[in-house]
């Protein structure tokens, strides 16, 4: 109550490593929402008490009024914590589309709530329709390019893949000389690594 | 807008400060553990989170006392040898809380205390960040406040970026949000 649990929810976000996503804590989220209802009911009962005693609700400054103020402030605090929780997670989710691509791995799926997955899908669709209008893929070349081709080693079995200039068999531990824009997606998903020197 | 959603702001404002109620308040007895009825009496001393104490102060319902982390003992330690003082155990948000409290409490010396502490400590923080190895974790990290820890980590990452630029190295990285790499199963 009084914002303590809501703050714990926010602390979960701050204790995670930078940029990492924790699982959506829907239990705690629902508890905070219930606390908001409790505060509201207390607020209403204090308001009725003031009105029953025949005092003016706008100008009275007695003990009931300050009780009302505290409940109201706790409600606003809970709201702020909940909004911050959702807002900061949404920011990470938006970045997912740019870093990983349109398909999320299972380990990330488990951490998202249903509405967050919808949010990701809609954001992804909006981005793709924008990119297809421009006929330009904006999610490649996130690091300024030095060379159009790079040397890569494959870490996980991907199999036969048709790339923009060649068709390659991406078996594990094989090395290839690929175009940057093809390799970039695979590297950020952790399926390949860049070889230097 | 930037402050409303900022996680660190929210956590700073949850820090407890000691407040004396100038007016009674009904229906909120949980705030005062020694209250017998469901209300807080006028004149009772309660530990409130900063956000609540701040609002009530503006409505003149409480007065705020300076919290323990800014007391004489800490001040003497900071004057003696600031870089060694364990500020994290006193208050992990020492500077942020001090900045917020200074205009409210009427204690003019908090500002100069914060400045003195930060000036002496940041030099240590930066020099350790640029020279220390990443493991084992240097002892200095355990006594830093959140703001100083951010400073330390920024310095370390800029040092790492500089070294990487000098040496060259893979410029593409696995997306950090995916977490630690699992060992490939053979």
């Amino acid at each position: 109550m009084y914002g303590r649990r809501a703050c714990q929810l926010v602390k979960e976000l701050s204790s995670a490593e930078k940029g990492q996503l924790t699982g959506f804590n829907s239990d705690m989220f629902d508890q905070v929402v219930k606390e908001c209802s409790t505060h509201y009911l207390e607020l209403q009962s204090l308001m009725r008490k003031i009105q029953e005693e025949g005092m003016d609700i706008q100008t009275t400054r007695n003990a009931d009024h300050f009780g009302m103020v505290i409940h109201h402030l706790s409600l606003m605090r809970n709201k702020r914590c909940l909004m911050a929780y959702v807002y900061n997670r949404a920011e990470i989710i938006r970045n997912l589309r740019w870093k990983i691509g349109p398909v999320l791995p299972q380990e990330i799926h488990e951490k998202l709530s249903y509405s967050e997955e919808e949010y990701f899908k809609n954001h992804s669709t909006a981005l793709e329709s924008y990119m297809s209008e421009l006929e330009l893929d904006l999610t490649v070349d996130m690091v300024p390019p030095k060379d159009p081709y790079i040397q890569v080693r494959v870490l996980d079995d991907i199999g036969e893949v048709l790339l923009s200039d060649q068709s390659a068999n991406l078996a594990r531990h094989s090395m290839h000389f690929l175009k940057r824009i093809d390799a970039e997606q695979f590297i950020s998903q952790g399926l390949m690594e860049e070889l230097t020197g | 807008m930037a402050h409303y959603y900022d996680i660190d702001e929210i956590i700073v404002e949850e820090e407890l400060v000691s407040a004396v109620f100038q007016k009674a308040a009904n229906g909120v007895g949980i705030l005062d553990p020694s209250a017998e009825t469901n209300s807080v009496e006028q004149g009772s001393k309660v530990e409130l989170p900063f956000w609540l104490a701040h609002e009530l102060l503006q409505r003149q319902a409480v007065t705020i006392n300076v919290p323990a982390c800014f007391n004489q003992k800490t001040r003497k330690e900071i004057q003696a040898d600031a870089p060694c003082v364990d500020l994290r155990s006193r208050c992990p948000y020492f500077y942020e809380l001090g900045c917020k409290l200074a205009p409210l409490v009427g204690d003019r010396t908090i500002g100069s205390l914060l400045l003195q502490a930060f000036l002496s400590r940041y030099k240590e923080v930066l020099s350790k960040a640029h020279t220390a190895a990443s493991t084992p974790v240097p002892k200095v990290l355990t006594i830093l406040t959140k703001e100083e820890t951010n400073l330390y980590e920024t310095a370390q990452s800029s040092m790492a970026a500089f070294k990487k630029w000098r040496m060259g190295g893979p410029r593409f990285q696995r997306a950090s949000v995916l977490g630690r790499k699992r060992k490939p199963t053979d």
Side-chain angles (χ1 to χ4, degrees):
Chain A
M1 286 292 278
Y2 301 97
R4 221 151 284 166
R5 188 162 298 169
C7 191
Q8 273 180 328
L9 196 61
V10 171
K11 277 190 182 151
E12 263 187 35
L13 278 189
S14 98
S15 62
E17 276 180 41
K18 213 153 187 165
Q20 295 282 20
L21 203 59
T22 52
F24 187 83
N25 196 340
S26 45
D27 285 332
M28 212 182 265
F29 198 88
D30 292 332
Q31 282 168 358
V32 177
V33 173
K34 271 204 202 87
E35 280 182 16
C36 290
S37 311
T38 316
H39 279 297
Y40 186 63
L41 289 172
E42 296 276 333
L43 187 85
Q44 281 193 313
S45 76
L46 284 169
M47 199 185 288
R48 253 177 281 128
K49 199 163 154 238
I50 292 186
Q51 287 171 331
E52 277 163 18
E53 289 173 9
M55 293 193 264
D56 180 21
I57 198 79
Q58 299 283 350
T59 52
T60 321
R61 294 284 176 268
N62 63 357
D64 291 326
H65 167 83
F66 287 110
M68 273 173 59
V69 164
I70 292 179
H71 281 297
H72 167 74
L73 291 172
S74 308
L75 225 155
M76 300 293 287
R77 172 79 176 173
N78 281 349
K79 173 185 168 189
R80 180 181 180 186
C81 292
L82 291 176
M83 301 263 290
Y85 187 68
V86 174
Y87 180 85
N88 284 289
R89 284 179 66 95
E91 207 174 317
I92 300 179
I93 290 172
R94 281 198 297 276
N95 286 334
L96 283 178
R97 173 60 181 88
W98 291 86
K99 294 220 180 96
I100 303 186
V103 179
L104 292 177
Q106 183 58 27
E107 58 200 21
I108 297 203
H109 259 300
E110 293 165 348
K111 296 183 185 171
L112 300 181
S113 76
Y114 176 69
S115 39
E116 286 177 339
E117 299 204 5
E118 288 296 304
Y119 181 73
F120 178 80
K121 268 194 218 112
N122 293 339
H123 182 73
S124 203
T125 326
L127 188 65
E128 263 147 39
S129 73
Y130 181 64
M131 291 199 291
S132 69
E133 263 189 52
L134 294 178
E135 285 166 34
L136 191 63
D137 187 357
L138 293 169
T139 59
V140 294
D141 283 341
M142 298 302 276
V143 174
K146 283 197 174 150
D147 238 336
Y149 284 88
I150 55 170
Q151 187 98 344
V152 290
R153 182 196 295 133
V154 183
L155 297 173
D156 275 342
D157 247 320
I158 309 172
E160 190 80 31
V161 170
L162 185 63
L163 304 166
S164 42
D165 59 341
Q166 52 179 296
S167 151
N169 182 17
L170 300 174
R172 210 160 116 210
H173 299 310
S174 60
M175 301 211 286
H176 299 272
F177 198 56
L178 298 183
K179 254 197 159 140
R180 269 179 60 104
I181 40 184
D182 294 329
E184 208 168 329
Q185 276 277 310
F186 290 118
I187 294 180
S188 68
Q189 286 173 22
L191 302 170
M192 281 187 191
E193 63 179 2
E194 187 182 349
L195 292 175
T196 47
Chain B
M1 245 328 171
H3 294 298
Y4 187 78
Y5 291 123
D6 187 54
I7 297 182
D8 282 321
E9 276 277 318
I10 293 178
I11 299 181
V12 169
E13 298 210 335
E14 192 70 18
E15 292 284 323
L16 294 174
V17 296
S18 167
V20 177
F21 270 78
Q22 302 299 317
K23 310 261 172 71
N26 277 346
V28 292
I30 298 182
L31 289 178
D32 185 5
S34 62
E36 288 144 14
T37 60
N38 189 20
S39 54
V40 182
E41 297 294 316
Q42 181 173 347
S44 48
K45 198 164 165 213
V46 185
E47 295 271 313
L48 294 177
F50 179 79
W51 56 271
L52 191 54
H54 180 49
E55 291 282 339
L56 290 177
L57 185 73
Q58 287 182 326
R59 291 169 168 79
Q60 295 167 339
V62 300
T63 51
I64 299 187
N65 302 329
V66 177
C69 53
F70 299 106
N71 64 2
Q72 278 298 35
K73 182 160 172 273
T74 317
R75 282 172 201 253
K76 290 222 166 74
E77 285 185 18
I78 287 180
Q79 272 172 354
D81 188 6
C84 294
V85 178
D86 187 354
L87 283 184
R88 186 187 284 186
S89 61
R90 305 281 157 87
C91 178
Y93 292 95
F94 189 73
Y95 301 107
E96 292 90 332
L97 193 60
C99 290
K100 285 180 193 283
L101 272 177
L104 302 178
V105 181
D107 184 349
R108 305 227 171 224
T109 55
I110 289 187
S112 49
L113 172 70
L114 294 179
L115 189 61
Q116 184 187 10
F118 191 66
L119 280 178
S120 336
R121 286 166 69 95
Y122 96 92
K123 279 179 269 191
E124 271 292 304
V125 170
L126 283 185
S127 68
K128 286 265 159 60
H130 284 131
T131 54
S134 54
T135 55
V137 173
K139 181 176 163 287
V140 73
L141 265 189
T142 54
I143 61 171
L144 297 183
T145 69
K146 195 79 181 13
E147 188 173 338
E148 290 167 347
T149 314
N150 284 346
L151 192 65
Y152 184 90
E153 280 165 7
T154 318
Q156 278 215 312
S157 66
S158 75
M159 197 65 192
F162 173 69
K163 283 190 183 135
K164 190 169 160 185
W165 174 77
R166 285 282 302 282
M167 308 297 191
R171 296 169 78 229
F172 284 110
Q173 297 291 341
R174 193 165 180 274
S176 59
V177 72
L178 287 175
R180 299 273 166 268
K181 228 159 132 172
R182 294 187 304 279
K183 277 210 162 31
T185 49
D186 263 298

